[in-house]
Amino acid sequence: MRFTPSPEQRQFAASLHDLLSGADTPGAVRAWAEGRPEPGLKLWRDLADLGVTALRVPEECDGLGAGLTDLVIAFEVLGYHAVPGPLAESVAVAPALLGDGERLRALAAGRLLATVALPPHVPYALDADVAGLVLLVENGAVYRGEPETEPVRSVDAARRLFRVAGTGGALGATDGSAFEAGVLAVAAELLGAGQRLLDEAAAYARQRHQYGRPIGSYQALKHLLADVVTRLELARPLVHGAAVTATARDVSAAKAAAGEAAYLAARAALQVHGAIGYTAEHHLGLWLTRVRALTGAWGGGAYHRARVLAGA
Amino acid sequence: MDLDLDAATLDFRGEVRGWLAEHVPRPGLPSMDTAEGFAAHREWEATLARARLSVVTWPREYTGREASLVQWLVFEEEYYAAGAPGRVSQNGIFMLAPTLFAHGTAEQRDRILPAMARGEQVWAQAWSEPEAGSDIAALRSRAERTDGGWLLSGQKTWSSRAAFADRAFGLFRSDPSSSRHHGLTYFMIDLRADGVTVRPIPQLDGEPGFAEIFLDEVFVPDADVIGEPGNGWRVAMTTANNERGLSLRSPGRFLAAADRLVDLWRQRGEPEWAAERVADAWIGARAYQLYTYGTATRLAEGGQLGPESSVNKLYWSHLDLGLHETALDLLGADGELAGPWTDGYLFALAGPIYGGTDQIQRNTIAERLLGLPREAR
Ligand SMILES: Cc1cc2nc3c(=O)[nH]c(=O)nc-3n(C[C@H](O)[C@H](O)[C@H](O)COP(=O)(O)OP(=O)(O)OC[C@H]3O[C@@H](n4cnc5c(N)ncnc54)[C@H](O)[C@@H]3O)c2cc1C
């Protein structure tokens, strides 16, 4: 047993992190929210160059044929940087829904962005206005989705949600594995977002002074953040473990725990920042609202806990 | 990244499972905090040792099997799933022994470890003092030089199982001009020696699970000093991370308890109000299991246990408590009836106190892992 990311996976995560740290990701998120996807799409092209969009595409269609562990390693970094767009949909789910080699090649190369609705747990298609391919999965059948023209507003302004109706005959069928991959990707994204919120809060607590002392010297804040560390550190092995076993029970445990840990991180990070964290100008809000949205998306806590109990 | 057990580990799991199925006493042993139960648990240690199962990770010469950490975790999973007795020798096996492996002499290891492995000598940890709890560096018990050894005086307290144990290990101030963590020496003490008085202290359940130890010029030979005199703090810290980080409560214990909790929830008709808490107990135990596999991987690759062991301790103590609270709530009015769940609950209540309190663990996490400014100390 070797239950830790491989050196190659660490290297992959580090290069993603370097790429995204150098880009103005918060700026891209804000532009995306305003309906100006170009900076975000530029990020996607860079991510495609590093192989992110090809991860789950089979090798015979120019993909990497990577496993779920590579997927979660990547998604933790994507969440850490709040990358906008239909990430789980296009990178984790669509490759498992499509049989068509041409589309798979386009996905792998990053020429095609896909999105998908999988009611009831994923009722809206994220970023259907930007995606070149909109899918709808109903009762195990995959359809072309016809999105409405106006988005439904999300608490996370960068998540542009669209109602979709199915059109035409079924393109194919799917077992549950596409959904599981999406849940797992989102769990990893939440983990990354939670880690970012923690890092932001710790950095602020070291630097901000009140009453003549760094606020990070107060135990009330230390202990709040220590609890966040603990939750995140114990959620990460669940995400990695679910990527290894791919059982529904482990995937649900990962989503429930990562969601809870990230949410705790969000609450704590806002509290540590005080009013500055509540402003639209400060970038903290990008992660605060992302975490709130993803906590309920792809099955909320109650749904995933029920699956844990059904499988335990 | 994988969770595969190799063939040797799978064989070992099978052997352990088979052996436990035949040997675990039914019904369980009486509480180890009674004279009768202590003797029964000591005998159980001997039974384990005869099957070379009492200290599986140790070298063969000391009745171990040189098992890997992953194999030890597997052993623990089987052990708790089988409902086997608590380990009366645990403080010796998991705290003193690692210290001896790291800092002891060959003579000390040869003399002490085999008897420990067979339960012939049960060890108590004597760190806490009336005025030195969380702040262990404030300890006052002292050691004075004498011919061929030291004379120990002072008072230790809250020493688990000391009421019936044979020997104890602890820190004493050997340099009277020193303060805090300087000038301390790590000693092994015979609890039957002249000048030692052990006063049992009944715990919440009424049984004397820990004790005070009074020392009045107790002679301890040089052979029972671990490491260099004056270097006791550093010697002791090896075991502190071991205790918090891995060995004190292995995941097997919580996996077994979480499975029992899920069963209880089913027996009670799967009440909706408890579903979230029951699921969280299962998720928490699974998280801790996987987290520990990660730790074992890191250690196998030459890593060290550092401040992240505080994450571990803080996590399992709350997992344990929450799990037992949920069980008692599920039992409703019968939750107050003394039995395995109330025993487990009373046991879990102490988790956030011993081995470093919650607050101390949180300070460590915030200061050492997040780099927040240190407290005045
Ligand atoms: C069941 C049980 C078994 C035990 N077994 C052993 C044993 O075998 N051997 C042994 O040596 N000891 C043992 N102990 C003792 C244990 O290690 C101590 O209880 C522990 O270190 C805390 O010390 P204290 O009880 O003196 O509490 P104190 O240190 O007095 O703490 C009291 C409260 O103050 C808080 N506090 C203290 N300092 C700070 C700070 N800087 N910041 C914030 N809060 C703070 C603590 O968190 C706690 O809530 C055992 C205890 C129990 C309950």
Side-chain angles (χ1 to χ4, degrees), chain A residues 219, chain B residues 125 127-128 133-134 158 160 210 350 353-354 357 359-360 363:
Chain A
Q219 274 196 6
Chain B
Q125 177 200 20
W127 286 21
S128 303
S134 299
W158 318 131
S160 292
F210 44 31
I353 299 172
Y354 60 70
T357 68
Q359 286 69 36
I360 301 306
N363 284 346

Side-chain angles (χ1 to χ4, degrees), chain A residues 7 10 19 36 46 48 53 56 62-63 68 84 108 118 121 146 157 166 174 186 192 207 261 271 283 285 292 295:
Chain A
R10 284 179 205 282
L19 165 75
R36 290 187 294 110
D46 294 342
T53 52
R56 297 290 287 167
D62 306 337
L68 291 173
L118 299 92
H121 300 294
E146 191 62 56
T174 171
V186 169
Q207 157 256 309
Q271 196 62 28
H283 62 218
R292 184 56 255 177
T295 300

Side-chain angles (χ1 to χ4, degrees), chain A residues 219 223, chain B residues 91 95 124-136 156-162 169 203 209-210 243 346-347 349-360 363 375-377:
Chain A
Q219 274 196 6
H223 291 193
Chain B
N91 283 359
M95 283 196 278
Q125 177 200 20
W127 286 21
S128 303
E129 296 185 2
E131 298 305 324
S134 299
D135 184 11
I136 203 77
K156 298 288 179 177
T157 191
W158 318 131
S159 182
S160 292
R161 290 170 290 284
F169 54 96
Q203 297 182 330
F210 44 31
E243 182 188 17
L346 291 178
F347 188 82
L349 269 184
I353 299 172
Y354 60 70
T357 68
D358 274 7
Q359 286 69 36
I360 301 306
N363 284 346
E375 302 261 289
R377 285 205 178 82

Side-chain angles (χ1 to χ4, degrees), chain B residues 172-221:
Chain B
F172 291 76
R173 196 163 292 287
S174 50
D175 175 356
S177 66
S178 69
S179 69
R180 306 296 300 160
H181 44 274
H182 303 286
L184 303 175
T185 298
Y186 199 123
F187 288 98
M188 297 183 282
I189 312 154
D190 182 355
L191 287 174
R192 315 268 194 272
D194 285 345
V196 176
T197 309
V198 175
R199 195 177 70 83
I201 307 173
Q203 297 182 330
L204 281 184
D205 65 356
E207 305 296 354
F210 44 31
E212 281 175 302
I213 304 171
F214 299 90
L215 303 108
D216 182 12
E217 304 208 323
V218 177
F219 177 74
V220 174

Side-chain angles (χ1 to χ4, degrees), chain A residues 145-164:
Chain A
E146 191 62 56
E148 289 182 355
T149 44
E150 282 305 306
V152 189
R153 276 166 49 101
S154 163
V155 64
D156 173 4
R159 280 174 55 85
R160 298 165 58 83
L161 305 173
F162 291 81
R163 291 197 176 86
V164 284

Side-chain angles (χ1 to χ4, degrees), chain B residues 254 257-258 261 281-282 285 318-328 341:
Chain B
F254 307 110
L261 180 66
W282 190 92
H318 285 265
L319 171 62
D320 201 22
L321 196 49
L323 198 154
H324 285 89
E325 286 166 346
T326 304
L328 296 185
W341 285 115

